[in-house]
Amino acid sequence: MSDTASAPDIRQTMIVFSNKIGSLGAALREAKPGTDILLQGGKYIEPEPLRMCKAGVSIRCSNHTSVVISSFTAGPANRLLHIQASDVDLDGVHFKATFPKGDTPAGLDTASACVEISGDSNAKIIDCTIECVDGHGILISGDASPKLFDCRVQEAVFGISILDSATPLVQGCLVKQCTSFGVAVEGNASGQVLDCWIDSCSKGGVRTGGNTSATLRNNHIRNTTICGIDCAGTTTSKFLGNVIEGTHVIGIQASEQSDIVCAGNSICGSEGSGILVCDAARGHFCQNNIREATKSGVAVRDTAAPIFVGNTVSDCAGSGFVVHGAASGIFRENEVFNNKVVGVAVKGDANTLWECNVVRKNGAHGFLLRDDANGTFQENIIESNAMTGFLVEDRASPSVWNNTIGINLAAGLMLTHDAAGTYQHNRVSGNRASNVVLSGNSKGVLLRNNFSDSPMCGVQVQSHSECTLTENTIANNRKANLCVIGSGNPHVEANTIQDGARYGVLVRDEGRGQFLRNVILRHGLDGVKLEGTSEAVFEGNMIGGSKRVGIYVLEAARARLVDNAVSHCGKGAAVVQRQQPEEENGSWLVWGREGVATVG
């Protein structure tokens, strides 16, 4: 070992060889502030912890052939190298510490570490390799603000741990094969982790907890057993432009009372959910690409209340979004497509706002609302889904406004099993089954919607549904613009029902209903047809332009017809045909304004 002194303003250089045990420790004790320690190639066996507590000291190895190895038995809080001074550098050195198994307790600040940087140190670590079996790779604590560039941290419990009020910059590092998390940020720490590769860490790539506010940008996280990124406590950390792929259960998990920002991340191949927001977590999730999850692309549960804007959720083996429990939140301008099950499922007591989303080409329903879910759904485009565009069931009661629901392979909008809600100003068209199906005791209010161009019915009411249809336009549907069957009992008032290929209103089987002040025009067969054992009241309607008749009553059907205006029908205003004579005098069948006979 040689020591070359110089004038006070010129740095001192110490050249250290590995031929003696403890030679690096001796050099650190001997070095004065501002000394450059230059390690020659070899293994440096250090029997005692190393300390850098003098300002301006550096340890360098120009050819990456120096390995510093601990040979002492570490106890809790022991370190191979502890940096406390400012303006110190490490460059090109390989540090390796092996601590007894079980030496790493649950508390991050009491665990052993290969390198710790503490106090207010602003150390710079460049191109170093850190190995630490059963301890931290690099532990950054206190008010330290070090800079780590292009380092490799491997085989630690925690790769890089950032605690207390530390504010490091970690850039271009490789962290791999850790038995817990690659990067852990706790306490009140912040700082930045940029352009790093975090690979094959057992519990997760990154964990942020406590009251932290770190920024993690453009990192590549892959092959973590549980989470890519795990956020807890009250952290407000930001995750921007990261890639999460390979083997993992959850891509990003936000829990407890975290309130994070996730923007521009790519999450692929999660075995569970791409993003899970749970407990009372909040957060902003913007412009993320979530795809190929085994379960749901995004899951929100408990009392979580996140905001999702502009995300793409696609190609998941489960559903795109699943929101349940007592969750709430805002979901705006997301694109949800090619998911194998449902595009968006809202369940439990969830109360959410969905606005300006595109939900298309999913393997089951576009939207599914069930249980006691409610919320507002407005200005969404819901199209080309393999089943129903918007299905509401099991007491769910949403407000659905100004949506476009079209070209779905079953119904466009379906209410069933005691569903309710208000549906206004929606355009529902071209759906293969019927545009709207109301069944199973549903009690929805449909107001000022447009239901058109279905190869089946515009609106089909059945199974004891007692919904209300007011001021809707129902047009150009092939079978019937409005069909009431199977004990359906709607209140239909002031609608425009026109240009159907066959019937304007078809009431059959045991259908019921009140039809008041509707305009029913230009149908290929009849304006109104009643058959089976149906009973209905038609009052004050304008019926015209049907190619056959305005009102056609047959079989055992009964209708109360009051003050309807019927004109320009091909074969007459009304035809009544009975299979069996009526025992009563037919007074229930009353024709108003035109003076047509009551019973034929």
Side-chain angles (χ1 to χ4, degrees):
M1 178 173 64
S2 67
D3 186 335
T4 303
S6 58
D9 292 336
I10 300 175
R11 294 182 64 86
Q12 182 182 28
T13 298
M14 300 176 68
I15 299 175
V16 181
F17 296 91
S18 61
N19 54 353
K20 290 184 179 181
I21 293 177
S23 57
L24 177 55
L28 286 171
R29 289 190 294 272
E30 183 181 338
K32 297 179 181 179
T35 298
D36 292 329
I37 298 175
L38 181 60
L39 300 182
Q40 301 301 294
K43 293 183 179 180
Y44 291 78
I45 306 300
E46 296 300 321
E48 296 181 0
L50 304 174
R51 295 181 62 199
M52 295 183 74
C53 52
K54 300 173 185 176
V57 174
S58 68
I59 303 175
R60 305 178 189 277
C61 176
S62 60
N63 56 8
H64 299 87
T65 59
S66 298
V67 181
V68 180
I69 302 175
S70 66
S71 65
F72 54 89
T73 301
N78 273 346
R79 284 82 176 96
L80 171 56
L81 174 63
H82 191 173
I83 302 172
Q84 297 168 294
S86 295
D87 302 317
V88 302
D89 294 348
L90 302 178
D91 191 344
V93 185
H94 185 163
F95 292 90
K96 184 174 182 179
T98 302
F99 298 131
K101 197 166 185 65
D103 187 43
T104 303
L108 291 177
D109 56 345
T110 60
S112 295
C114 187
V115 175
E116 180 176 5
I117 307 166
S118 66
D120 57 359
S121 175
N122 62 351
K124 185 184 294 184
I125 303 179
I126 302 172
D127 196 20
C128 290
T129 298
I130 312 294
E131 288 185 64
C132 186
V133 178
D134 289 313
H136 297 279
I138 299 175
L139 174 61
I140 305 168
S141 60
D143 294 311
S145 56
K147 295 177 174 61
L148 281 63
F149 299 110
D150 302 318
C151 293
R152 294 157 298 283
V153 183
Q154 61 195 42
E155 297 182 1
V157 176
F158 298 93
I160 299 173
S161 298
I162 305 168
L163 309 181
D164 303 329
S165 299
T167 57
L169 169 62
V170 180
Q171 187 167 13
C173 295
L174 168 63
V175 183
K176 67 177 183 177
Q177 297 174 338
C178 298
T179 58
S180 187
F181 289 91
V183 175
V185 188
E186 295 285 353
N188 295 301
S190 55
Q192 301 181 76
V193 179
L194 313 176
D195 306 311
C196 294
W197 189 284
I198 303 170
D199 192 3
S200 301
C201 297
S202 295
K203 287 190 177 179
V206 175
R207 175 178 170 83
T208 61
N211 193 33
T212 55
S213 58
T215 297
L216 291 94
R217 187 193 305 267
N218 297 337
N219 301 287
H220 200 122
I221 303 168
R222 64 190 305 270
N223 293 335
T224 61
T225 304
I226 301 176
C227 288
I229 296 173
D230 183 15
C231 305
T234 58
T235 183
T236 56
S237 294
K238 298 178 176 62
F239 303 89
L240 312 173
N242 302 286
V243 175
I244 302 171
E245 64 179 7
T247 303
H248 61 277
V249 178
I250 298 169
I252 298 176
Q253 176 173 290
S255 62
E256 297 181 358
Q257 295 178 316
S258 59
D259 190 3
I260 62 175
V261 174
C262 286
N265 301 286
S266 175
I267 304 167
C268 180
S270 305
E271 294 178 0
S273 299
I275 295 177
L276 170 61
V277 188
C278 59
D279 300 331
R282 303 174 69 84
H284 288 69
F285 299 82
C286 309
Q287 304 296 328
N288 300 288
N289 187 331
I290 303 123
R291 63 191 187 279
E292 299 177 18
T294 300
K295 293 185 178 179
S296 57
V298 175
V300 182
R301 71 184 193 207
D302 305 322
T303 58
I307 297 172
F308 279 80
V309 178
N311 301 279
T312 298
V313 183
S314 68
D315 302 297
C316 298
S319 298
F321 282 86
V322 177
V323 183
H324 58 109
S328 58
I330 297 171
F331 302 81
R332 181 179 290 124
E333 298 176 6
N334 302 288
E335 188 169 2
V336 187
F337 64 94
N338 287 345
N339 299 289
K340 191 171 183 179
V341 189
V342 175
V344 175
V346 184
K347 301 183 282 186
D349 296 311
N351 186 348
T352 51
L353 169 63
W354 295 80
E355 183 175 35
C356 299
N357 301 281
V358 177
V359 181
R360 60 185 176 87
K361 295 184 178 180
N362 296 286
H365 312 294
F367 278 84
L368 169 62
L369 278 69
R370 62 169 33 155
D371 305 326
D372 295 297
N374 53 43
T376 300
F377 301 78
Q378 59 191 30
E379 298 184 31
N380 302 288
I381 296 174
I382 307 161
E383 63 184 14
S384 302
N385 297 286
M387 296 179 71
T388 301
F390 201 105
L391 174 60
V392 187
E393 61 183 15
D394 300 338
R395 305 175 308 280
S397 183
S399 295
V400 181
W401 294 58
N402 294 319
N403 300 281
T404 298
I405 306 174
I407 328 177
N408 297 286
L409 300 187
L413 169 65
M414 183 172 184
L415 279 65
T416 187
H417 299 147
D418 302 300
T422 302
Y423 306 81
Q424 299 188 48
H425 298 286
N426 300 287
R427 178 175 176 79
V428 186
S429 65
N431 298 284
R432 184 172 294 181
S434 293
N435 280 321
V436 180
V437 176
L438 307 165
S439 67
N441 297 305
S442 60
K443 295 178 174 60
V445 175
L446 285 73
L447 175 65
R448 301 192 184 99
N449 302 282
N450 187 307
F451 307 129
S452 66
D453 301 297
S454 171
M456 296 295 287
C457 299
V459 178
Q460 182 170 309
V461 186
Q462 61 192 35
S463 304
H464 303 284
S465 176
E466 296 182 354
C467 55
T468 300
L469 290 90
T470 306
E471 299 182 20
N472 302 284
T473 298
I474 309 173
N476 295 309
N477 299 284
R478 185 174 297 275
K479 183 175 181 181
N481 275 325
L482 173 57
C483 179
V484 183
I485 60 175
S487 301
N489 188 15
H491 181 94
V492 182
E493 184 170 0
N495 300 278
T496 298
I497 303 170
Q498 63 187 28
D499 299 311
R502 300 183 71 183
Y503 307 109
V505 176
L506 173 63
V507 187
R508 57 180 299 182
D509 302 332
E510 297 179 357
R512 302 288 185 268
Q514 294 182 314
F515 301 81
L516 312 176
R517 293 180 291 281
N518 301 286
V519 176
I520 305 170
L521 301 174
R522 300 186 299 274
H523 291 90
L525 292 176
D526 308 313
V528 174
K529 182 179 180 181
L530 291 90
E531 59 185 9
T533 58
S534 60
E535 294 183 0
V537 175
F538 286 81
E539 181 175 348
N541 300 283
M542 178 183 294
I543 304 170
S546 301
K547 290 186 179 180
R548 192 160 65 181
V549 295
I551 300 176
Y552 188 18
V553 182
L554 71 160
E555 298 174 353
R558 303 202 312 164
R560 181 172 182 82
L561 308 174
V562 180
D563 292 332
N564 300 285
V566 182
S567 63
H568 300 96
C569 296
K571 295 185 179 180
V575 173
V576 179
Q577 296 179 345
R578 295 292 185 192
Q579 292 180 342
Q580 300 292 333
E582 286 247 334
E583 294 181 2
E584 53 188 286
N585 61 9
S587 61
W588 200 81
L589 182 65
V590 178
W591 184 260
R593 186 176 303 166
E594 299 288 332
V596 177
T598 57
V599 178

